[in-house]
Amino acid sequence: MSEFDGARVLADLHALRNIGAYKTGVHKPTFSEPHLRSLEWLAGRIPEAGLTATIDGIGNVLGHSPKSGPKLLAGSHLESQNYAGWLDGPLGVVYALEAARVINSDSTAKGAVEVAAWCDEEGHFGSFLGSRSYVGGVAEAEIDTAHDRTNGRTMRDALRDAGLAERPRVVVERGRHIGYLEAHIEQGEVLESESLAIGVVTSIVGIWQYRISFTGEQNHAGTTRMSVRKDAGLALARFCVAIDDRFPAQCGPRTVWTTGRITLDPGAPSIIPGSAEMLFQIRDDDPAVIDRLEDLLRTMAAETNAQRRCSVKLERIRTGSPAMMDGAFQQAIEAASSAFAGNRSVRMPSGAGHDAQVLATIMPAGMLFVPSIGGISHHWTENTADADIVTGARVFVEACRRLLGG
Ligand SMILES: [Zn+2]
């Protein structure tokens, strides 16, 4: 029997950090040499947990238990964003591995933890390709067209170069698992700022995206008097500021919104922009909040149109459904936090996407967060205090045990 071992968790995380190290972080894009070595590293560790390891035809690593009784699926991902942090992904994989080592070797524990590392959560080739493949949501045609957003390499070439092209993709055996548990760094500053150890994720927010287009009149920047201008760029800037003034009265407690891209046409210093466009995104876990904010955007657009200088068109270009985390999973994480983290936990939504939202479409799912120093992620300086990493691991193992009914 294997006891929980915090030093072993840290050593495993450092072993993964040393594969593809970049400054204090890592550079491990999907199907890069260091990413593939990380998959092999995990496949080599998984037997320590009484599981047989498979790397399947889309690059998912899966541990399979021969034990009878309930099975809990646990994991995260091993690739990174380009030149990014060492914990985004590996933390959840190593926690799952530790839970499997501890629980699967315990003759008094019920069932088993099965470990998974989902390929390409970071979206180098697509959107959650690994976990979506596992739930049966990726057709061969999608793989045919997928390519690396950084260098254009096709996914077919990447799979062939990795020696995975001939392997089957493993698809979930429905009903095999009581659910899926994933740990992740928070990637925000809520836990750190409130001196908390564990975030109990209630939901993973949906993402709604809009294209807001302004049409005015292109003209000479030197000869056109200010009073007669129809400056689409200025109309856009006013709209953008008005959103920030008016959204707070209608939004939910954790709604976030971002204007991620602005383009002015023709975009020259001596020409008054005749048209302008902004890409605008809202994230929330409550579609009713989104409905309210969308109504407000429409009202604001109508107000701008009524001034008869520039016209505004609002188009929704992406609708994201939020994923709700299972109530029993939240309770198990909370109970584990009260046992091993001094009750320093808080329920919170996840503003970032995770594989758990994909698994949640077919089984109960839960997530826990550990603090991120300074709230920084997707950057090589990303870090978490060793003590927080170990506390999180202990809570994770305990939550798994409770979910399996031990
Ligand atoms: Zn991640």
Side-chain angles (χ1 to χ4, degrees):
M1 158 161 183
S2 184
E3 299 284 342
F4 172 78
D5 186 345
R8 176 168 65 182
V9 169
L10 289 169
D12 283 349
L13 286 168
H14 282 284
L16 284 167
R17 185 187 206 169
N18 287 335
I19 304 172
Y22 172 77
K23 298 190 181 181
T24 60
V26 293
H27 178 57
K28 280 192 233 200
T30 304
F31 299 132
S32 63
E33 187 273 337
H35 176 230
L36 293 171
R37 253 198 298 152
S38 301
L39 303 185
E40 293 291 347
W41 178 91
L42 178 63
R45 293 275 85 73
I46 278 177
E48 291 172 8
L51 304 171
T52 52
T54 306
I55 303 178
D56 84 346
I58 201 159
N60 287 336
V61 185
L62 296 151
H64 190 270
S65 169
K67 265 174 108 177
S68 60
K71 310 281 186 307
L72 178 67
L73 188 60
S76 193
H77 59 95
L78 289 174
E79 80 285 337
S80 73
Q81 289 286 344
N82 294 334
Y83 308 104
W86 67 298
L87 294 170
D88 180 352
L91 180 108
V93 172
V94 170
Y95 279 17
L97 178 63
E98 181 65 9
R101 281 188 295 226
V102 172
I103 291 171
N104 299 355
S105 66
D106 181 350
S107 56
T108 67
K110 273 200 208 160
V113 174
E114 295 192 321
V115 177
W118 310 112
C119 196
D120 202 38
E121 190 274 347
E122 295 292 5
H124 292 273
F125 285 84
S127 172
F128 300 107
L129 280 168
S131 51
R132 283 199 298 115
S133 169
Y134 183 72
V135 305
V138 174
E140 291 297 314
E142 186 172 354
I143 299 177
D144 290 340
T145 57
H147 59 273
D148 190 321
R149 62 175 147 87
T150 302
N151 57 29
R153 179 165 68 145
T154 67
M155 186 151 187
R156 291 293 181 202
D157 284 349
L159 287 167
R160 189 200 57 221
D161 296 348
L164 300 174
E166 302 306 316
R167 298 192 193 181
R169 290 190 275 137
V170 175
V171 176
V172 65
E173 182 190 327
R174 298 270 176 150
R176 176 175 177 83
H177 302 102
I178 58 166
Y180 173 71
L181 187 63
E182 177 168 356
H184 207 275
I185 52 167
E186 184 200 340
Q187 307 179 284
E189 30 57 65
V190 171
L191 296 176
E192 183 184 61
S193 65
E194 294 173 25
S195 298
L196 296 167
I198 301 291
V200 183
V201 178
T202 51
S203 63
I204 298 172
V205 301
I207 300 176
W208 284 262
Q209 214 148 280
Y210 305 86
R211 180 183 297 118
I212 310 178
S213 316
F214 298 77
T215 307
E217 198 171 83
Q218 184 178 323
N219 211 332
H220 195 293
T223 58
T224 314
R225 283 176 299 124
M226 297 308 286
S227 59
V228 299
R229 290 184 180 207
K230 295 177 175 174
D231 184 335
L234 186 60
L236 179 148
R238 288 211 171 101
F239 197 88
C240 200
V241 170
I243 287 174
D244 236 38
D245 287 340
R246 293 168 72 171
F247 264 37
Q250 307 261 351
C251 69
R254 305 256 196 185
T255 318
V256 289
W257 57 89
T258 307
T259 300
R261 194 176 83 190
I262 290 175
T263 42
L264 302 182
D265 186 45
S270 291
I271 304 175
I272 300 163
S275 59
E277 181 187 286
M278 58 190 264
L279 292 184
F280 181 66
Q281 184 185 87
I282 313 174
R283 297 189 186 211
D284 202 278
D285 66 4
D286 183 355
V289 169
I290 300 295
D291 285 348
R292 275 206 312 268
L293 295 176
E294 231 175 60
D295 280 347
L296 179 54
L297 284 175
R298 270 189 224 101
T299 304
M300 290 168 57
E303 287 168 9
T304 303
N305 287 332
Q307 290 165 6
R308 299 180 178 282
R309 236 169 226 251
C310 294
S311 64
V312 188
K313 197 173 97 189
L314 181 70
E315 291 165 87
R316 192 205 287 149
I317 53 177
R318 173 176 173 178
T319 304
S321 34
M324 306 316 286
M325 297 293 103
D326 184 78
F329 277 60
Q330 294 178 47
Q331 279 166 19
I333 299 164
E334 238 160 27
S337 300
S338 75
F340 289 109
N343 236 345
R344 291 181 303 128
S345 70
V346 66
R347 291 192 179 209
M348 62 190 293
S350 171
H354 295 288
D355 289 305
Q357 75 197 56
V358 176
L359 276 301
T361 61
I362 57 156
M363 61 176 87
M367 279 195 86
L368 72 81
F369 284 159
V370 299
S372 294
I373 294 173
I376 291 167
S377 185
H378 285 187
H379 188 270
W380 55 267
T381 54
E382 163 195 291
N383 206 0
T384 296
D386 282 0
D388 285 336
I389 291 175
V390 172
T391 298
R394 175 144 247 170
V395 168
F396 189 86
V397 174
E398 176 65 14
C400 290
R401 192 193 299 280
R402 283 168 185 265
L403 287 164
L404 286 166

